[in-house]
Amino acid sequence: MKSIKTLSATVLALALLASPAISMAHGETEIRFVGQVNGQPFECGKSYADVGTSKSMITPSDFRMFISDVRLIDGQGNAIPLQLTQDKTWQIDNVALIDFENGTSHCRNGTAPLNQSVRGTVPHGDYKGIEFTLGVPFALNHGDPTIAPAPLSSTAMFWNWQGGYKFLKFDMATTGQSKTTLPADKQGGGNASGFSVHLGSTVCASASKTTPPGSCKNPNRVTVRFDSFDPAKDVVIADIGAVLANANVDVNTPKTAVGCMSFPNDPDCPPIMKAFGLPYDGQPGGVQQFFRKQ
Ligand SMILES: [Cu+2]
């Protein structure tokens, strides 16, 4: 009897240790994204209180980003690429444009359609987690947007051949600054007025302005991993409030880009780049705060 009892206890202990993998019956997979500001759903025309260190009221005018290299993590820890559906609108190669703005109200310079998921297929199997990158892969980042297929044809999301695309474009008016008067920024910020967060690669050396660079000193791509993620139940929250938590959106350092546009030597950038988990101006990166699972 004693040995049977011991055996059952061992079996029970093993059963408890081996947590079941999340079973995904179908190869078709959709990873859903939700845009938020401090836990509130992002919506064009809405204003959001208590943003940043000055507890500013902000009125956003753009919120778009490129997500790439989506991988599903299987029970052995292997990262299996999600093969994106090539829809010729939102997804090309392994890159998708996530678009939280609908072109109305303060987002009038944007586009009407929304796109809030990445869609593709993986081999049938059991997967436990996901990984993805905020950004456009280097190989696709430095082409000509006027001849690139959608979504890489979005000129609003493009800087120039040296820097490539804006991986994330978030623009807003804020309590402390003029809501309408700032001109378009040199980097193509367009409707930026007040404060902007534009993430992208910087210090990309190239022979001329129309020659693609060989590399960028600051790639500024953010890789995100959730060890446990079930696409059927979970969504990826992208909360810009968490990015701005330690920034003062009511001031902009003179003679620098409006807000933080990733360029070196901008005193408005350190708290923002830190929230992305990225190294900046010699400061080490850390844990990203922008994305969380829900
Ligand atoms: Cu849109």
Side-chain angles (χ1 to χ4, degrees):
M1 277 306 278
K2 196 184 172 197
S3 64
I4 290 173
K5 260 188 191 163
T6 311
L7 182 65
S8 337
T10 309
V11 169
L12 181 64
L14 283 173
L16 287 173
L17 275 174
S19 62
I22 289 156
S23 179
M24 300 202 320
H26 303 288
E28 300 235 339
T29 300
E30 182 175 26
I31 310 292
R32 294 169 292 158
F33 288 80
V34 175
Q36 289 188 352
V37 183
N38 282 346
Q40 304 294 311
F42 174 84
E43 213 178 295
C44 292
K46 271 184 76 174
S47 295
Y48 300 87
D50 292 332
V51 174
T53 56
S54 60
K55 303 292 176 199
S56 185
M57 175 80 81
I58 69 162
T59 307
S61 54
D62 207 343
F63 193 176
R64 287 178 269 185
M65 62 183 176
F66 285 107
I67 298 294
S68 60
D69 280 329
V70 179
R71 287 141 291 168
L72 275 69
I73 314 297
D74 70 14
Q76 286 73 49
N78 302 308
I80 312 297
L82 182 70
Q83 301 291 338
L84 301 195
T85 309
Q86 302 295 293
D87 64 13
K88 298 186 166 65
T89 302
W90 299 110
Q91 309 195 142
I92 188 78
D93 209 318
N94 61 349
V95 185
L97 177 63
I98 298 293
D99 182 344
F100 294 126
E101 58 75 31
N102 62 7
T104 66
S105 187
H106 292 80
C107 306
R108 69 184 76 86
N109 291 334
T111 59
L114 298 167
N115 186 53
Q116 303 181 84
S117 70
V118 179
R119 299 163 296 278
T121 57
V122 280
H124 286 252
D126 289 346
Y127 298 97
K128 289 182 163 180
I130 60 166
E131 275 182 359
F132 60 86
T133 297
L134 170 63
V136 175
F138 183 83
L140 295 170
N141 196 32
H142 302 281
D144 180 351
T146 63
I147 55 169
L152 296 175
S153 52
S154 171
T155 49
M157 296 298 287
F158 195 74
W159 267 330
N160 52 53
W161 281 19
Q162 277 152 309
Y165 290 86
K166 296 164 196 164
F167 301 158
L168 168 76
K169 183 174 189 287
F170 190 94
D171 300 320
M172 74 198 97
T174 74
T175 313
Q177 298 186 81
S178 160
K179 293 185 188 332
T180 54
T181 55
L182 281 171
D185 65 89
K186 278 191 190 124
Q187 291 74 34
N191 57 353
S193 61
F195 201 93
S196 288
V197 178
H198 294 178
L199 183 66
S201 297
T202 63
V203 194
C204 304
S206 68
S208 78
K209 284 191 168 178
T210 51
T211 310
S215 66
C216 300
K217 187 179 171 215
N218 306 312
N220 290 338
R221 291 182 188 82
V222 180
T223 298
V224 182
R225 181 183 174 113
F226 296 118
D227 288 327
S228 165
F229 191 93
D230 179 354
K233 296 185 193 128
D234 299 328
V235 297
V236 178
I237 304 287
D239 192 334
I240 199 73
V243 170
L244 298 170
N246 292 309
N248 183 341
V249 297
D250 286 327
V251 297
N252 180 58
T253 306
K255 295 179 181 161
T256 67
V258 177
C260 172
M261 300 199 182
S262 306
F263 298 103
N265 306 312
D266 184 342
D268 305 323
C269 274
I272 289 169
M273 300 305 265
K274 191 173 186 189
F276 284 122
L278 293 168
Y280 180 79
D281 275 358
Q283 297 301 306
V287 179
Q288 70 82 23
Q289 310 292 320
F290 183 32
F291 298 102
R292 68 178 193 274
K293 183 187 89 164
Q294 184 173 291

